């Protein structure tokens, strides 16, 4: 979840999973014998799609593997809440920039290939 959560520097407060997923909220789930913190993006065809902030591919766990929801983060004794308007806006803006960057790379590659 970098850059949002920093390894060994950010502590998170968890609340047990209520059975209802909220879009863009961060959840702890188990996948392939690993415990992962990722952001919930959507449900499609009864599949749950989670993604880390710096990843390009989705993680697809089962609903029974979702264990808890992140309620707050603590870094350097400062407690913050991850679902404020500005935090969600920053996430969506970074995601948009990342997608635009990949689109530009595809276009440039096509132009390079057509020159040969």
């Amino acid at each position: 979840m970098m850059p949002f959560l920093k390894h060994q520097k950010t502590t998170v407060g968890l609340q047990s999973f209520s059975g209802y997923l909220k879009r863009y909220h961060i959840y702890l789930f188990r996948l392939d014998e690993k415990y992962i913190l990722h952001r919930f993006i959507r449900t499609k065809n009864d599949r749950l799609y989670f993604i880390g902030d710096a990843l390009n591919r989705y993680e697809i766990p089962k609903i029974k593997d979702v264990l808890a929801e992140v309620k707050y983060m603590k870094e350097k004794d400062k407690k913050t809440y991850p679902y404020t308007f500005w935090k969600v806006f920053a996430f969506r803006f970074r995601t948009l920039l990342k997608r635009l960057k990949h689109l530009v790379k595809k276009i440039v590659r096509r132009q390079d290939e057509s020159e040969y």
Side-chain angles (χ1 to χ4, degrees), residues 3-19:
F4 195 64
L5 302 174
K6 294 166 183 67
H7 184 64
Q8 299 291 332
K9 293 183 181 177
T10 306
T11 304
V12 294
L14 299 173
Q15 179 180 4
S16 63
F17 179 56
S18 65

Side-chain angles (χ1 to χ4, degrees), residues 31-93:
L31 186 69
D32 299 329
E33 302 302 321
K34 295 179 192 172
Y35 291 93
I36 301 172
L37 280 172
H38 277 339
R39 197 177 298 272
F40 174 68
I41 301 300
R42 66 180 172 183
T43 301
K44 186 176 179 182
N45 298 333
D46 293 330
R47 295 174 76 176
L48 306 175
Y49 290 86
F50 288 83
I51 194 165
D53 287 353
L55 296 179
N56 294 321
R57 65 181 180 88
Y58 292 106
E59 304 285 356
I60 306 173
K62 294 183 177 20
I63 191 78
K64 65 178 179 154
D65 293 329
V66 179
L67 305 172
E69 178 182 1
V70 172
K71 281 301 182 187
Y72 66 88
M73 306 172 315
K74 195 171 180 183
E75 189 173 334
K76 296 181 183 176
D77 296 330
K78 183 180 177 188
K79 192 176 187 179
T80 59
Y81 297 92
Y83 311 119
T84 63
F85 172 79
W86 291 111
K87 299 257 185 190
V88 173
F89 177 80
F91 162 72
R92 295 192 73 191
F93 186 73

Side-chain angles (χ1 to χ4, degrees), residues 20-27 39-42 83 88 92:
Y20 177 74
L21 294 166
K22 297 175 191 156
R23 195 169 187 196
Y24 304 124
H25 282 221
I26 303 167
Y27 292 91
R39 197 177 298 272
F40 174 68
I41 301 300
R42 66 180 172 183
Y83 311 119
V88 173
R92 295 192 73 191

